[in-house]
Amino acid sequence: MSKGAAATTNGKKEAFKLDGPESQFGVVLMCPDCRNPVPNIIEDFSSGDYVCGDCGLVLGDRIIDTRSEWRTFANDDGDDPSRVGNAANPLLDGDQLDTIISRGDGGSGMARDLNRTQGRTTAQRHERNLVQAYKEISALCDACDMPKTIVDISKQLYKKVEDDKLFKGKNNDAIIAACIFLACRRESVPRTFKEICALTKVDKKDVGRTFKFLKTKLKEQTATTSSNDLIDRFCSNLSLDQETNRITKLLADKANDLENVSGKSPVSIASACIYMASHLTGNGRDAKDISRIAGVGEATIKTTYKILYQYRSTLLTPEVLRKGSPASEANLINP
């Protein structure tokens, strides 16, 4: 083996550089007394020293043991060499470094009782309320397949409400519903008031009033839901093809410009356009089915469709009835 220049530092350890192919390994720690080109360095973690295995010279002290922990601190039986507790949760208050009594004690049940008693005495009421609200938000969002981003933002909004005490003494269910609805608006995941009310079992007026107050206090600038925002989800739930979806969006764009339709809700316009487009392409859906998916009354759908049918010459553009499309004006039903 080829050797290079060696340098000692305070007579304790030496950096030895190799000139040959071994130089790719960088700096090698070696004993300044033995000068063995193949150092026999022992890491004595019990004393925290680097020791030469040949002559016993201490080359370094106060070293840090980077190996896995040999003890286990898990509540259950098993291998858990973790040195730290759970990750800090930014949605909870405090330093979150409390000591927790393990539940496992061999089956006597005493540790479980102690754990429960400690939980009652140490957990703050405010934190317990937050945890309960977070569980409810997660359950509600999972029930209607909302993305995780909506869950996280809803929790952040709720914590902001609790910290600022914006709704002290108000209906907690209405606050949760408003937070979910505002999170949907912020992330462009369109949900109607009726859907949120049906999900949370809260009165529509309470949700609307709380949502407006929350939006004002938090100075949120969110866009309103348009009919096109709802069409994709409604068409998917009705098992309609892409061509019907495309025609529905074209009809909705034109319908919003009509004087007699512009004042109607986005849900009503979207539902009526789906009703019209499905019949245009020969995949007609009954008003009852659309009503069940969209949450709009059958009479509302048929009344809006009647207006669209009157303006069919304006709505049925060449782009709607393009070549190769199954759409045909002859397929429309007379209201």
Side-chain angles (χ1 to χ4, degrees):
M1 177 182 293
S2 59
K3 297 182 181 179
T8 60
T9 56
N10 299 327
K12 286 193 174 182
K13 54 184 178 182
E14 184 178 83
F16 191 89
K17 278 196 173 181
L18 301 174
D19 296 331
E22 298 85 354
S23 60
Q24 61 180 316
F25 297 107
V27 178
V28 178
L29 183 67
M30 66 175 294
C31 177
D33 291 348
C34 300
R35 295 181 178 274
N36 189 344
V38 184
N40 182 20
I41 307 300
I42 299 174
E43 294 177 308
D44 188 0
F45 290 111
S46 60
S47 61
D49 296 331
Y50 280 118
V51 182
C52 176
D54 296 329
C55 67
L57 180 65
V58 177
L59 305 177
D61 56 3
R62 296 186 179 182
I63 63 173
I64 299 175
D65 187 356
T66 58
R67 299 175 303 172
S68 179
E69 182 61 67
W70 60 274
R71 292 181 61 192
T72 176
F73 299 95
N75 292 334
D76 304 322
D77 295 335
D79 184 19
D80 178 22
S82 175
R83 292 173 176 267
V84 297
N86 295 328
N89 188 346
L91 297 174
L92 298 177
D93 298 324
D95 52 17
Q96 302 172 38
L97 296 176
D98 301 333
T99 300
I100 300 176
I101 298 176
S102 172
R103 285 175 172 266
D105 61 352
S108 69
M110 183 179 295
R112 185 182 66 253
D113 295 337
L114 288 172
N115 178 277
R116 187 181 297 117
T117 303
Q118 185 206 27
R120 292 197 190 103
T121 57
T122 59
Q124 298 179 357
R125 181 180 178 184
H126 175 66
E127 186 172 317
R128 290 201 302 268
N129 292 340
L130 283 176
V131 172
Q132 183 61 34
Y134 295 158
K135 288 181 180 178
E136 190 170 347
I137 289 173
S138 298
L140 291 173
C141 292
D142 290 343
C144 58
D145 298 326
M146 290 187 185
K148 191 177 184 301
T149 53
I150 301 299
V151 180
D152 295 338
I153 293 174
S154 299
K155 291 178 180 179
Q156 293 171 8
L157 291 172
Y158 185 86
K159 188 174 190 305
K160 179 71 173 174
V161 169
E162 285 291 304
D163 291 343
D164 296 345
K165 295 181 172 55
L166 299 179
F167 293 97
K168 194 171 182 180
K170 300 293 183 180
N171 183 1
N172 196 56
D173 292 336
I175 298 172
I176 291 175
C179 289
I180 294 175
F181 188 70
L182 184 56
C184 291
R185 283 283 185 90
R186 182 191 286 185
E187 292 299 305
S188 300
V189 180
R191 290 294 187 275
T192 63
F193 265 119
K194 283 189 176 181
E195 288 178 298
I196 298 297
C197 294
L199 176 68
T200 59
K201 305 296 190 294
V202 181
D203 185 69
K204 185 178 178 181
K205 290 184 179 179
D206 290 340
V207 177
R209 191 183 305 114
T210 308
F211 168 73
K212 288 180 181 178
F213 183 80
L214 181 62
K215 185 178 177 181
T216 303
K217 286 294 182 180
L218 299 182
K219 298 179 181 178
E220 290 281 343
Q221 299 294 331
T222 57
T224 58
T225 302
S226 67
S227 54
N228 277 346
D229 294 332
L230 304 169
I231 287 173
D232 284 333
R233 184 158 53 89
F234 289 169
C235 287
S236 176
N237 292 336
L238 289 166
S239 302
L240 292 171
D241 55 28
Q242 288 298 319
E243 180 63 16
T244 305
N245 190 326
R246 181 189 72 84
I247 293 175
T248 303
K249 290 181 178 179
L250 293 175
L251 293 175
D253 288 336
K254 289 288 185 180
N256 285 319
D257 297 332
L258 298 177
E259 183 178 355
N260 294 340
V261 179
S262 58
K264 294 188 176 295
S265 69
V267 188
S268 301
I269 297 174
S271 303
C273 289
I274 291 174
Y275 183 75
M276 187 175 194
S278 65
H279 284 88
L280 273 172
T281 57
N283 297 319
R285 293 294 188 271
D286 191 67
K288 184 178 180 180
D289 296 332
I290 300 175
S291 172
R292 178 176 50 83
I293 295 297
V296 182
E298 294 182 47
T300 303
I301 295 175
K302 291 182 177 180
T303 301
T304 309
Y305 170 71
K306 186 176 182 179
I307 300 173
L308 297 181
Y309 186 81
Q310 293 173 354
Y311 289 92
R312 61 186 182 279
S313 58
T314 304
L315 296 174
L316 301 181
T317 61
E319 189 176 2
V320 173
L321 303 174
R322 67 182 182 182
K323 186 177 180 181
S325 174
S328 172
E329 186 178 350
N331 294 333
L332 289 178
I333 57 175
N334 193 328

